Amino acid sequence: SVHADYSLPGLYFGHIQKIVFNGITLYCRIRNGKFEIRGLDLEKMLARPPSEPHPAKEDQTSVSFGRLDIRNAVLVCEWEEMSYRLPFELELIPEETDPNLLNCRLILYPRGQKLVISSQLNLRQKVIRLELDATAFQAEPFADFTKSVPELLVSGEADIK
């Protein structure tokens, strides 16, 4: 489901206060060394577009948001003829003083554990600052996954802050 909080004056100025996506399932796969998301052509999206004349200012439509949340989401990824499910939540909050700075909080729940990745994306400088919090993360439940990655050795318990 999608929920949007907005006001009429905000819409007039192209601003939505909050957008929430709930219950999303994203499908991806790793094939021939490439990461693919079903329905998206990542190579085309990331390719630099040829230089074209910019449309007139009045033809451009831009919408800003105060916050974007994804709740109760699942990433289903196929790799090495196996299917992995990764529940996650995501919060994106632009800095009020600089819309080129995005504060992001990604919470992953791999096999019932909790990993919190906090980041700040600087869109202008193309820089990401990351913080990882995985208190009492246990690697043993991932033995089947780690076997498929040559020369990867993971064991034990770790507190990562």
Side-chain angles (χ1 to χ4, degrees), residues 6-154:
Y6 58 89
S7 66
L8 289 177
L11 282 180
Y12 179 78
F13 291 106
H15 183 76
I16 297 175
Q17 293 156 335
K18 184 177 181 181
I19 303 169
V20 179
F21 294 93
N22 195 8
I24 292 175
T25 301
L26 295 174
Y27 293 92
C28 70
R29 69 178 164 196
I30 300 171
R31 182 173 60 172
N32 300 326
K34 292 187 178 183
F35 180 76
E36 303 171 352
I37 296 177
R38 187 188 299 173
L40 291 178
D41 186 346
L42 291 176
E43 288 182 12
K44 188 176 181 180
M45 287 176 57
L46 297 175
R48 184 171 216 165
S51 58
E52 300 173 357
H54 294 290
K57 183 72 173 166
E58 52 270 10
D59 293 340
Q60 294 179 353
T61 303
S62 66
V63 175
S64 63
F65 62 90
R67 179 184 183 108
L68 177 105
D69 290 348
I70 298 177
R71 300 281 177 233
N72 303 312
V74 176
L75 177 69
V76 178
C77 191
E78 295 175 13
W79 184 50
E80 299 285 326
E81 299 181 22
M82 295 287 294
S83 182
Y84 299 94
R85 298 175 58 82
L86 180 60
F88 72 94
E89 296 180 353
L90 176 70
E91 300 170 351
L92 281 176
I93 305 169
E95 283 282 335
E96 289 183 30
T97 57
D98 185 353
N100 288 302
L101 296 177
L102 284 178
N103 294 306
C104 177
R105 185 169 179 234
L106 175 64
I107 304 171
L108 305 172
Y109 299 97
R111 298 194 174 163
Q113 299 186 67
K114 184 176 179 179
L115 296 170
V116 180
I117 301 170
S118 300
S119 64
Q120 185 178 62
L121 290 78
N122 187 323
L123 302 175
R124 183 181 306 114
Q125 296 177 355
K126 298 181 181 177
V127 173
I128 298 176
R129 182 183 54 82
L130 292 173
E131 293 179 15
L132 174 67
D133 182 1
T135 306
F137 185 78
Q138 298 177 5
E140 286 81 15
F142 301 93
D144 62 326
F145 177 76
T146 57
K147 285 179 191 174
S148 60
V149 180
E151 299 181 20
L152 177 65
L153 176 62
V154 179

